Amino acid sequence: MEREAFDLAIVGGGLAGGLTALAVTQRRPDLSLALIEAGESFGGNHRWSWFEGDIGAAGEALLAPFEKTVWTGGNDVHFPAHSRRLAADYRSLDSRDFDAALRRELPQSAIFAGCRAREIGGDGVRLEDGEHVQAKAVIDCRDAGPSPHLTGGWQVFLGQTLRTDAPHGIDRPVIMDATVAQPGAYRFIYLLPLGKHEIFVEDTYYADSPVLDADLLRKRIANYAADRGWRTEVMHEEAGVLPVITGGDFKAYRASLERPGVALAGARGGFTHPLTSYTMPIAVRNALAIADMAHLPGPALANAVAARATRHWADTAYYRLLAKMLFDAAEPSKRYTIFERFYRLPEPLIERFYAARSTPADKARILSGKPPVKIGRAIRAILGKGAPLVHMERR
Ligand SMILES: Cc1cc2nc3c(=O)[nH]c(=O)nc-3n(C[C@H](O)[C@H](O)[C@H](O)COP(=O)(O)OP(=O)(O)OC[C@H]3O[C@@H](n4cnc5c(N)ncnc54)[C@H](O)[C@@H]3O)c2cc1C
């Protein structure tokens, strides 16, 4: 039987698609909605984290239905020549909780999990099984892939939730422990204490190549735990290879993925922080903005989202410049010095940086003083083209 056309179909039930569906449900319950996700659960296998100040009051309200881990008491960073405690509180959302909340909050008629889209058009979505889900407007939030139109490097990581047989003694998030060996990349360990006997340990690399050697990273995590005297059991694991964007032709990038009358959003649409590769604050802002435009006809919605993407690309030029310095001006084993220096700056500036909301004064301050890289290399990096973001290994 032909189903009535949905007002809105969102393809890709990851962070961006899921948050947009939730925002539409909260703000425009009069609109009918389909959230179409290829996987059996929404959100995949991720843990998304963010600083309390990144999100704002409207964003907090959007995220209220999700069960989150909340740390008060700030966060720590460690570098070879500098450790610091910062005041910002931290939050983390496990994709299993993301999935559970979406299934609870969205109307049952909106849930299309385990449904891979085969074709996406302005009038709806053709699923793998042949069904056509008709919709008046369509948003493409599928995951981002490699692209020859963008340049940059990679953030490669593997994280494990470990159970320790005795209390591990870490009482707040450690955003970067870069006192570890730096084998040809900026490497740091990220720690999230989830309980007295439970800790998330992630080994991360800002690397030139997208290769994730899972066994090697597992060994390094085991060694890190053993060095601290923790006897551990692995409870859960996740891994990622994310692009770090240093430049490129954004118009050509979007044109290679856009379909007529379909809004292109999420990380795929360019809505990321080019240097950290994180999207939580950006995905929240976008979800709220799209919900407020969700009544528009498909082509108008697509144009409005494209305009936001172009603005976002222009607004984040500075972070691409910093990413360029990181990858093209610093020796891989010395990349940590850029972050070490950055973490000596005032805390409000650091918070605005993570939220991709740096002020002109912040931007000047980050680049002022003695640079941590050689001037000649920095100039060559700024003028250079950078490496194309291709050969991405799929997980
Ligand atoms: C392990 C990991 C940890 C991360 N940690 C953080 C963090 O702490 N903070 C942060 O801000 N960011 C983090 N990120 C970055 C993260 O990629 C983004 O923040 C976010 O997930 C991007 O959201 P998205 O919705 O654009 O893409 P995704 O979340 O990747 O969602 C895309 C969805 O589209 C679905 N899909 C693909 N093709 C089809 C199809 N044909 N039909 C239907 N569905 C389809 C996929 O199954 C997927 O669920 C992390 C990434 C990884 C991999």
Side-chain angles (χ1 to χ4, degrees):
M1 198 180 66
E2 268 292 286
R3 223 194 306 239
E4 214 182 292
F6 285 96
D7 291 311
L8 184 66
I10 300 173
V11 186
L15 186 67
L19 289 182
T20 304
L22 182 61
V24 171
T25 304
Q26 286 178 354
R27 294 185 164 209
R28 295 301 308 260
D30 53 310
L31 297 180
S32 62
L33 172 78
L35 178 60
I36 300 169
E37 166 56 40
E40 289 303 323
S41 56
F42 296 116
N45 178 25
H46 291 187
R47 171 173 284 285
W48 298 286
S49 305
W50 66 98
F51 295 98
E52 186 200 8
D54 288 354
I55 300 291
E60 293 286 351
L62 174 67
L63 299 183
F66 297 115
E67 178 102 3
K68 305 173 270 293
T69 312
V70 172
W71 292 272
T72 53
N75 66 90
D76 289 342
V77 290
H78 302 295
F79 294 93
H82 177 227
S83 279
R84 182 168 175 189
R85 174 148 306 160
L86 295 112
D89 290 335
Y90 207 56
R91 309 274 184 266
S92 187
L93 167 62
D94 187 310
S95 50
R96 289 166 288 189
D97 296 322
F98 182 77
D99 177 66
L102 287 180
R103 287 175 192 275
R104 200 178 55 237
E105 300 289 323
L106 302 186
Q108 280 313 298
S109 56
I111 306 236
F112 286 72
C115 298
R116 177 169 289 279
R118 194 200 314 151
E119 285 159 31
I120 302 177
D123 63 345
V125 181
R126 174 83 53 201
L127 304 181
E128 280 285 310
D129 67 5
E131 185 188 352
H132 189 249
V133 179
Q134 283 189 61
K136 295 175 195 157
V138 178
I139 308 179
D140 183 0
C141 285
R142 288 174 295 166
D143 32 354
S147 174
H149 300 295
L150 300 178
T151 58
W154 305 94
Q155 196 189 135
V156 177
F157 53 94
L158 184 137
Q160 291 181 332
T161 302
L162 304 178
R163 177 164 295 159
T164 57
D165 66 348
H168 49 68
I170 303 290
D171 56 3
R172 73 201 71 217
V174 176
I175 305 302
M176 290 179 178
D177 178 358
T179 59
V180 292
Q182 301 288 311
Y186 172 44
R187 172 180 176 225
F188 61 89
I189 299 280
Y190 168 67
L191 298 175
L192 294 178
L194 299 171
K196 274 197 165 57
H197 293 261
E198 203 173 303
I199 187 159
F200 179 74
V201 182
E202 190 172 87
D203 195 13
T204 299
Y205 300 76
Y206 274 78
D208 294 322
S209 113
V211 176
L212 195 162
D213 184 342
D215 282 339
L216 179 67
L217 271 56
R218 286 183 192 117
K219 267 191 211 122
R220 287 183 177 156
I221 290 173
N223 290 342
Y224 186 86
D227 287 349
R228 270 141 202 86
W230 302 337
R231 293 202 328 175
T232 60
E233 183 192 344
V234 178
M235 311 300 296
H236 187 77
E237 183 175 290
E238 62 176 60
V241 177
L242 303 177
V244 179
I245 302 168
T246 61
D249 181 344
F250 189 59
K251 212 169 157 193
Y253 168 74
R254 290 237 354 156
S256 70
L257 298 172
E258 272 167 337
R259 286 168 174 72
V262 176
L264 181 62
R268 183 182 182 86
F271 293 102
T272 66
H273 189 305
L275 180 52
T276 64
S277 311
Y278 281 0
T279 65
M280 182 52 117
I282 299 160
V284 165
R285 292 200 284 267
N286 241 5
L288 295 170
I290 292 176
D292 290 342
M293 310 187 281
H295 59 283
L296 292 176
L301 182 63
N303 288 341
V305 173
R308 278 184 74 81
T310 305
R311 253 193 332 270
H312 179 74
W313 178 262
D315 290 347
T316 51
Y318 179 76
Y319 303 112
R320 291 192 294 281
L321 174 77
L322 293 185
K324 226 173 187 195
M325 304 282 249
L326 182 70
F327 278 98
D328 300 343
E331 295 283 353
S333 62
K334 296 285 178 212
R335 282 178 186 157
Y336 76 91
T337 58
I338 292 186
F339 283 94
E340 189 171 60
R341 180 175 177 277
F342 171 75
Y343 266 108
R344 292 182 189 275
L345 294 169
E347 185 160 358
L349 176 153
I350 293 171
E351 288 175 16
R352 288 191 291 271
F353 167 86
Y354 276 103
R357 291 205 136 141
S358 300
T359 64
D362 292 341
K363 293 177 183 177
R365 180 82 194 265
I366 290 171
L367 288 177
S368 66
K370 188 172 176 290
V373 294
K374 292 201 174 97
I375 292 284
R377 280 188 73 131
I379 292 170
R380 276 200 300 283
I382 290 166
L383 298 178
K385 268 183 78 178
L389 271 171
V390 290
H391 313 304
M392 186 169 179
E393 290 225 328
R394 312 303 293 166
R395 276 172 288 139

